Amino acid sequence: MSFKSIIALALAAGSSVACAQGYVGAVVALSNLDLSCQTGRKCDDSGNGWKLFGGTRLEQPLVSLGRAHVNVVEVGLMRFGKASDQFTRRISINNGQGTVEQVNVPAAETVSVNALTFAMGATISLAQRASLVPKVGLAYVSATSRSSVNGISQGSETKSSLQPYLGVSLGYEAVQGVTVNAGVDWTRARTEDRGGASALLMGVGASVAF
């Protein structure tokens, strides 16, 4: 590639950024963490979550594919809430009379998941004020497992991993610069003792352009 070509590409990229519109927003959501509950255990994989996000919408798309224009670069911070797993564990205790007995006691494990995402999206215009934005990217996901036996904490473990991220957002510009959003976000998390788990957010929120 010639020096002139490099200069031309740099100027084009700078022009795109100069013509970009920034935005920030927030979403409140319902979450689902698929823990692959074992038979005989009581699991609750649903909860409440949230998402904070900000990005740039380029006036000149990087790529156009029919009605879809790849012109969105977005970062997000998501919390998927907690999932719980309650079960019975058999432990040995001293009954105070010099003998050891085997007893069943309640045990529990909770898993909480947070993710930092980076994605690119394509804007698909549906109507004058409505648009659909599918997104694809990467997520840096942290999953923290906490366990307890008979009400006594057994500590916690956190595992972080780089995972794929997919999302889609439906937006309607209610007033100039303010958009109401409904969307779905998906990624995966890895825990120390469960392997991979699907993490899903479904929520509504709003964003403000600047």
Side-chain angles (χ1 to χ4, degrees), residues 132-144:
L132 187 70
V133 181
K135 292 168 280 190
V136 61
L138 294 173
Y140 183 74
V141 184
S142 294
T144 300

Side-chain angles (χ1 to χ4, degrees), residues 46 85 91 105 153 162 168 175 207 210:
S46 60
D85 181 0
I91 64 172
V105 296
S153 174
L162 193 63
V168 62
V175 297
S207 61
F210 59 86

